[in-house]
Amino acid sequence: MAGRKPQRRREFGTVRKLPSGRWQARYLGPDGQRYTAPETFDTKSDAQEWLNLTRADIERNQWRDPDAGAVNFKKYALRWLRERGLAPTTVDRYNGLLRLHILPTFGGKDLDEISSPSIRTWRAERLKATGATTVAKSYRLLKAILQTAVDDDLLRSNPCRIKGAGKEEAGERPTATIEQVFDLADAMGPRWRLMVLLGAFAALRPEELAELRRRSVDLDECSLRITQASPELTNGKRVTGDPKSRAGKRTVYLPDFLLPELRRHLQWFAEKEPDALLFVGEKGAPFRRSTFGRKWRKARKKVDMADNFRFYDLRHTGNTLAADTGAKLKDLMVRAGQSSERAQLIYQHSTAKHQRKLAQGIDAEVRERLRASAAEQTKAM
């Protein structure tokens, strides 16, 4: 009895010769849909080789729907923002980066139409049009969105491959001297004087100052309890919630020279109810960034400060003074409301005693500087 002939392995897909003389490859995907190779081939063997590679991808579970990336980038990016559970301030910032820097170039493209060369060209053009820091932020956002598309099996790989493109090389921010802080406080006027002093000597963030209330103040301890923050979005709306980080909820002990300033502000300018805001405008409404910004720019010009000196930069003065007291790193982090992942900091603790001592160190340093400055002025007369 003759032996049975071995069965030929069933061919995967089909190839056919087109009227142009080139060869086309087609196959049935694991999803039951028929797909055509995205290109035609010079020879039948080339088409068959492409089919063999595609079959190997399917057998290794590495096959991806070639049409999966045909998703509009703008729609995907906006959905990405909605689904991330980001803080309102982060959404506000990302929306601005998308609207101004990313969508004008990529908003009309599908995900699989965004290539590494097009990203390099986009980045080069952005660097000519705006600051390097903004371009780095925009690149990081674009890379994060496209990486999620990879995770969603919409792209094979992330086309953002420019080494170091997301790294910010921001210049060192200016630091105001003690004398300049008091000059700025005087120039801002009595209503906003304390805000400037707390921004510097308590290293409070603008959004933390915006949410300070009478109940936040402990005059006996000369301290402030920071529990919430109210950052202002670009549309003028304030979003009240937890501070910037978990470390943002803290008690800040103030140098003693601020106690008379604090008492005077509570008596003259703060609303009278226990839960009332500490800083309000002339009509009793929460201060607005636009209105405060105009006052700040005028004050900055009046005392001859650099145009790029921001209110937020006052924190550098406070942090520098605190560091000069010899405080340990954990104490400085607690005072400034900063978090860190460094393992060695887990086992360090900052007590109220340390924070009080730190505030006293700032108090002594400021008083000494002011005495020296007054002595020099008297000598010059």
Side-chain angles (χ1 to χ4, degrees):
M1 183 176 176
R4 178 181 297 178
K5 292 182 179 181
Q7 289 184 337
R8 287 183 61 188
R9 186 182 184 189
R10 183 178 178 183
E11 292 291 340
F12 172 76
T14 59
V15 296
R16 68 179 182 126
K17 192 172 186 179
L18 300 173
S20 64
R22 295 184 64 79
W23 291 82
Q24 182 186 68
R26 305 180 71 193
Y27 68 98
L28 199 65
D31 58 358
Q33 301 295 317
R34 185 167 295 279
Y35 295 94
T36 302
E39 58 184 334
T40 56
F41 305 91
D42 292 333
T43 66
K44 181 179 181 180
S45 61
D46 288 342
Q48 190 60 56
E49 178 64 19
W50 184 88
L51 283 174
N52 292 339
L53 292 174
T54 301
R55 182 172 189 171
D57 284 343
I58 294 174
E59 291 174 348
R60 293 195 301 265
N61 291 322
Q62 294 181 355
W63 178 85
R64 184 182 65 85
D65 181 352
D67 298 325
V71 176
N72 176 256
F73 173 80
K74 180 178 180 179
K75 292 182 179 179
Y76 185 82
L78 295 179
R79 191 177 76 218
W80 183 92
L81 272 184
R82 292 193 301 270
E83 295 176 350
R84 300 296 288 182
L86 301 170
T89 50
T90 304
V91 172
D92 190 54
R93 184 170 66 253
Y94 284 177
N95 265 322
L97 293 174
L98 281 170
R99 177 173 52 85
L100 297 174
H101 304 288
I102 299 177
L103 294 182
T105 299
F106 300 113
K109 295 181 179 294
D110 286 345
L111 291 171
D112 57 7
E113 293 178 320
I114 301 176
S115 63
S116 294
S118 68
I119 291 174
R120 285 195 297 271
T121 300
W122 162 77
R123 178 174 176 269
E125 292 175 348
R126 285 288 83 205
L127 285 171
K128 295 177 183 178
T130 189
T133 298
T134 299
V135 176
K137 293 179 187 293
S138 301
Y139 180 86
R140 287 204 307 271
L141 176 57
L142 176 62
K143 185 175 182 179
I145 294 171
L146 294 178
Q147 184 56 49
T148 303
V150 174
D151 297 339
D152 288 344
D153 292 327
L154 301 179
L155 294 175
R156 284 187 179 275
S157 62
N158 194 329
C160 287
R161 300 171 189 169
I162 306 174
K163 188 175 181 180
K167 186 177 180 181
E168 296 179 39
E169 297 290 347
E172 186 175 348
R173 297 300 307 168
T175 301
T177 65
I178 291 173
E179 293 78 11
Q180 287 173 324
V181 171
F182 278 97
D183 288 344
L184 282 167
D186 291 339
M188 287 295 291
R191 180 174 291 273
W192 306 110
R193 175 182 174 83
L194 181 65
M195 180 177 284
V196 175
L197 297 179
L198 291 178
F201 302 123
L204 295 185
R205 300 179 176 94
E207 59 269 26
E208 295 169 345
L209 288 162
E211 191 55 27
L212 282 179
R213 298 177 182 272
R214 274 187 173 268
R215 57 176 165 76
S216 308
V217 180
D218 187 333
L219 292 174
D220 293 332
E221 288 289 328
C222 194
S223 66
L224 299 173
R225 178 62 183 161
I226 311 301
T227 58
Q228 288 190 309
S230 288
E232 186 176 338
L233 306 183
T234 53
N235 62 6
K237 180 181 178 182
R238 285 202 175 275
V239 182
T240 302
D242 290 337
K244 187 175 181 180
S245 66
R246 286 184 299 174
K249 291 186 176 183
R250 65 202 189 277
T251 297
V252 178
Y253 290 84
L254 306 177
D256 289 340
F257 72 85
L258 284 180
L259 186 56
E261 303 276 359
L262 194 56
R263 290 185 187 276
R264 183 163 52 245
H265 185 89
L266 287 170
Q267 182 180 354
W268 290 0
F269 302 113
E271 298 293 284
K272 303 308 178 185
E273 296 78 11
D275 200 43
L277 292 171
L278 212 60
F279 296 105
V280 293
E282 287 79 359
K283 297 181 180 180
F287 78 93
R288 290 297 175 190
R289 182 169 54 189
S290 57
T291 304
F292 186 85
R294 286 193 294 271
K295 294 179 180 293
W296 176 255
R297 288 188 291 273
K298 290 179 180 178
R300 185 176 59 194
K301 184 176 181 179
K302 184 176 181 180
V303 301
D304 199 26
M305 294 289 290
D307 290 342
N308 67 336
F309 186 80
R310 308 169 304 180
F311 183 91
Y312 198 91
D313 291 329
L314 291 171
R315 273 170 58 87
H316 293 285
T317 298
N319 289 335
T320 300
L321 285 170
D324 288 345
T325 67
K328 63 184 181 182
L329 179 59
K330 183 62 177 178
D331 291 324
L332 298 175
M333 290 168 54
V334 169
R335 183 173 185 81
Q338 296 169 329
S339 297
S340 174
E341 296 298 325
R342 295 181 181 181
Q344 66 267 32
L345 297 179
I346 296 175
Y347 304 102
Q348 297 184 42
H349 301 279
S350 180
T351 64
K353 180 180 178 181
H354 289 144
Q355 290 294 313
R356 182 70 258 169
K357 184 177 180 181
L358 192 153
Q360 290 170 348
I362 295 175
D363 183 74
E365 179 67 19
V366 171
R367 289 179 185 273
E368 177 59 32
R369 297 271 189 94
L370 292 177
R371 279 196 296 267
S373 179
E376 289 181 5
Q377 291 178 4
T378 302
K379 187 176 181 181
M381 293 176 61

